[in-house]
Amino acid sequence: QRDEAVEEAAALKDALGAEGARATTEADALRARFADVLTERELELDARAEQLTACHQQLADARTAAQSSERKYETARAAAAAAEEALAAAGARLEDAARETAATEAQHTLQRDRAEALSTTAGGLQTRLAAKEEECEAAQA
């Protein structure tokens, strides 16, 4: 019986080590994947913010040109309308990117919760291992 307890404790210890290593590897992979996705989203947001700034500048330029003459005003008004449409489109793209980032963060939270659940499983195995080790020590005494 003592030998069985020792073997079972060794098996639990091996399982705990394997589960801990797997959980650590999976958590590291999830962190790396989230960092990559987050960096990509930040770059997209930066690019869209630059587009938005450029559209604002185009709109300001178009309004300034409109003040110079009636003929230029008509041309500038058309350019301003196009710039406002581009601004609205860029704003929509920026909102889409923000929603995608929020979805990515929610996915990361889910993955982090999964990693924590794996860690809890490993903790349960560790508790069982400690109990078996105590049982072995008691059997040896």
Side-chain angles (χ1 to χ4, degrees):
Q1 185 179 12
R2 185 177 76 94
D3 290 343
E4 285 179 24
V6 169
E7 286 177 19
E8 190 174 341
L12 284 171
K13 190 173 187 179
D14 289 346
L16 176 63
E19 186 67 23
R22 188 182 69 73
T24 299
T25 301
E26 185 174 330
D28 289 346
L30 291 173
R31 279 192 288 276
R33 189 168 52 218
F34 178 73
D36 290 345
V37 169
L38 191 58
T39 299
E40 181 181 337
R41 294 292 183 246
E42 287 173 349
L43 291 174
E44 288 176 9
L45 287 174
D46 288 346
R48 289 181 179 158
E50 288 178 16
Q51 289 176 344
L52 192 59
T53 300
C55 288
H56 276 293
Q57 186 60 48
Q58 289 174 357
L59 186 58
D61 292 345
R63 287 184 179 148
T64 300
Q67 296 171 357
S68 66
S69 73
E70 188 64 29
R71 189 171 55 102
K72 288 182 180 180
Y73 174 75
E74 291 301 319
T75 302
R77 194 171 81 191
E84 287 174 346
E85 287 178 15
L87 180 62
R93 287 191 304 269
L94 188 60
E95 289 175 7
D96 289 345
R99 280 192 294 277
E100 288 174 10
T101 299
T104 299
E105 289 173 349
Q107 183 182 16
H108 172 68
T109 299
L110 178 64
Q111 291 170 345
R112 186 188 67 230
D113 290 347
R114 187 182 320 147
E116 288 175 5
L118 288 172
S119 177
T120 300
T121 299
L125 287 172
Q126 191 171 21
T127 301
R128 287 176 53 198
L129 175 62
K132 282 296 178 181
E133 285 175 343
E134 287 177 14
E135 186 180 317
C136 288
E137 288 174 8
Q140 288 176 349

